[in-house]
Amino acid sequence: MNQQLTDSAPASTGSATEAPAPAPDGKAGGEASTRRPLALLIGGIALVVVLAILPLLAIEIPGVLPGPTYTPGTLQLLAYAMLIAALALSYRMMFGLAGLLSFGHALFFAAGAYGLGMALEYFAPVEWPSELIFLASIVVTLVFGIVLAATVGSLALRVTGISFAMVTLAFAQAGSVLIRRNPGGATGGDEGLSLDIANVPDALVGVLNTRNLYWLALGILVFVYLVVLWVERSRAGHVAEATRENELRVRVLGIRPYRVKFLIFIVASTLAAIAGMGYLLLQSGAAPRIATADFTLTILVIVVLGGVGYRWGAIVGGIVYTLLDQRLTALAGSDFIAGLPAVLRVPLSEPLFILGTLFILVVLFLPGGIAGIPQRIRTGRKQHPVESEEAADA
C-alpha cells in the first residue's frame, strides 16, 4: 500500500518523470499546457454525452454485455458499474489523496442504502405528497450520513496508520452486526431490506424505467467526480496531499492536519452514502453484504486495480471489476467451462480465483494500475513513473 501511495505523489516531489523541455521562446510549451486542460475538458464532456445517449443505441459487445445497450439487463449492469465506480472514486479521495487507509468505508455506503430505505418506509406522514416524502427522505438520509461520518471520523482520526484502519474496521463490524440483528424489524436482517415503492416516483420504479435509473447512476457518478475534483484542487486538498507526504512538516508550518483529514473523511463518506442511495433505488433493496469489511476490501482492490495515482483510475477500475465479476460468474456456469478437464475446470469455475489472479498480475506488472498504462507507453519505462501534475488533473 505504501508503494501505491508513493506512486501517487505529485510531480513536484522531484522524482517524477521529467517534463519535456520548453521551446526557446516558451511559446510552444505554454500553448501545449493551455491546450491540454481544454482537450481533457472537451473529452470528458464528450464521454458523458456518449454515456448519456447509450440507452438510445443498440450496441452489442458479446462476452462483455449481456445484450444490446438499450435492454434493461445491460442498462442495470452498466448503472451498477457506475455506482461502484462512484463509490471507488470517493474511497480513492480518502486513500489516495489523504493517505487514510479505511476498512470501514462500506459502512457509509450501507448507511445511504439502508437509511433511505428505512426513511421511505417509516418517515411517511400521510398528509404529505409522495414526492415530498421522497425528497425529505433523501435529505434525512444525507444528514444521517454526515452525522455518522463526523462521529466515526472524530474518533478514528485521533490515531493514525494501522490503528486508524482498525478503528474504522470496528465501526464497520458494529454496523454489519446491527444490520443483521434486525432491531425492531427495521433492516430486514439476513434477508435484506426491500424498497418501499409507495413514495418513490413512478419514473424510478419497474423494469421499463431502468433507463431512468441508468441516467440517475450516471448523474451520481458525474456529481461525485466533480466534487472530488473540486476538493482535490482546493487548498484543503493540497494540504491533505502534503500531509500524506510529510505530516510533521505540515505541523511545523502551523497547519493542523487533523481538520483537513476530518474534512476529507466527511466528504468522502458522504459521497459514499449518496452512491448507496442510488444503489437502493437501482437494486430495489439492500443486502447485508454491502456493510461488511469484505466489501470495503473489494473497493480497495478496485482502486488499486484502476490506479491509485489517477483520479479516473477509480472509475475505470470500478467499471472493469464489475463487468468482470458479472461476466465471469456467467462464464463459470457455462457448458464450455463444464466440458474442460478438471485441471482447468476447477479454477475457471471460480470467478474470485480469476479476479484474484488478475489483481496479482496487475500489482506485479502494472504498479500504476490500468490507468497507468498510457503513461508507461508514452515514457517507455519499465517501472511505473510517478504521476505528473497534468495526469493527476485528468
Side-chain angles (χ1 to χ4, degrees), residues 13 35 40 46 50 58 74 221-222 227 268 275 283 317 357 365 380 383:
T13 57
R35 288 196 301 265
L40 291 174
V50 170
T74 299
L221 177 58
V222 172
V227 172
Q283 301 292 96
T357 303
F365 300 105
Q383 295 181 349

Side-chain angles (χ1 to χ4, degrees), residues 285-370:
R289 66 170 294 272
I290 66 173
T292 61
D294 291 342
F295 190 64
T296 298
L297 292 178
T298 299
I299 301 304
L300 176 59
V301 168
I302 288 173
V303 172
V304 176
L305 179 66
V308 179
Y310 301 85
R311 189 181 304 112
W312 61 278
I315 300 177
V316 174
I319 294 176
V320 170
Y321 184 94
T322 303
L323 292 178
L324 284 176
D325 184 41
Q326 297 292 327
R327 301 313 298 165
L328 288 177
T329 301
L331 178 64
S334 64
D335 296 335
F336 173 76
I337 297 298
L340 293 176
V343 67
L344 295 176
R345 182 182 68 254
V346 174
L348 292 181
S349 61
E350 297 293 336
L352 290 180
F353 173 82
I354 301 176
L355 289 173
T357 303
L358 175 63
F359 176 71
I360 294 174
L361 293 176
V362 169
V363 171
L364 290 177
F365 300 105
L366 295 174
I370 298 175

Side-chain angles (χ1 to χ4, degrees), residues 2-236:
N2 293 332
Q3 179 63 34
Q4 291 294 334
L5 290 178
T6 304
D7 289 343
S8 64
S12 57
T13 57
S15 60
T17 306
E18 296 182 0
D25 57 358
K27 184 181 298 184
E31 291 178 354
S33 61
T34 303
R35 288 196 301 265
R36 181 173 177 81
L38 181 60
L40 291 174
L41 176 61
I42 295 175
I45 294 176
L47 179 60
V48 172
V49 171
V50 170
L51 291 175
I53 64 175
L54 200 60
L56 307 177
L57 306 177
I59 301 176
E60 294 189 47
I61 306 179
V64 178
L65 300 178
T69 52
Y70 66 87
T71 57
T74 299
L75 290 177
Q76 184 171 23
L77 174 60
L78 293 176
Y80 178 74
M82 287 189 289
L83 290 177
I84 295 299
L87 176 61
L89 190 58
S90 68
Y91 187 82
R92 187 262 171 194
M93 183 176 69
M94 183 185 298
F95 176 51
L97 177 66
L100 300 175
L101 178 60
S102 170
F103 287 158
H105 200 61
L107 173 65
F108 306 103
F109 184 77
Y114 277 91
L116 180 60
M118 290 186 292
L120 287 172
E121 187 171 355
Y122 300 107
F123 183 71
V126 293
E127 65 274 9
W128 287 16
S130 59
E131 293 81 3
L132 182 58
I133 293 176
F134 181 70
L135 293 177
S137 299
I138 292 177
V139 173
V140 169
T141 305
L142 193 60
V143 172
F144 170 70
I146 295 174
V147 172
L148 179 64
T151 303
V152 175
S154 62
L155 297 175
L157 287 171
R158 296 184 182 277
V159 293
T160 59
I162 192 63
S163 299
F164 170 82
M166 291 298 100
V167 172
T168 57
L169 175 62
F171 275 104
Q173 290 295 95
S176 179
V177 170
L178 183 64
I179 289 175
R180 291 186 181 277
R181 288 290 178 88
N182 191 22
T187 63
D190 292 332
E191 299 297 325
L193 179 65
S194 299
L195 176 63
D196 184 5
I197 63 174
N199 297 308
V200 178
D202 294 337
L204 300 177
V205 178
V207 177
L208 296 178
N209 292 314
T210 307
R211 180 186 301 177
N212 297 330
L213 292 170
Y214 169 88
W215 283 326
L216 175 65
L218 176 60
I220 291 176
L221 177 58
V222 172
F223 174 77
V224 170
Y225 180 86
L226 292 177
V227 172
V228 170
L229 178 64
W230 174 65
V231 171
E232 291 188 3
R233 290 186 174 181
S234 66
R235 182 176 181 271

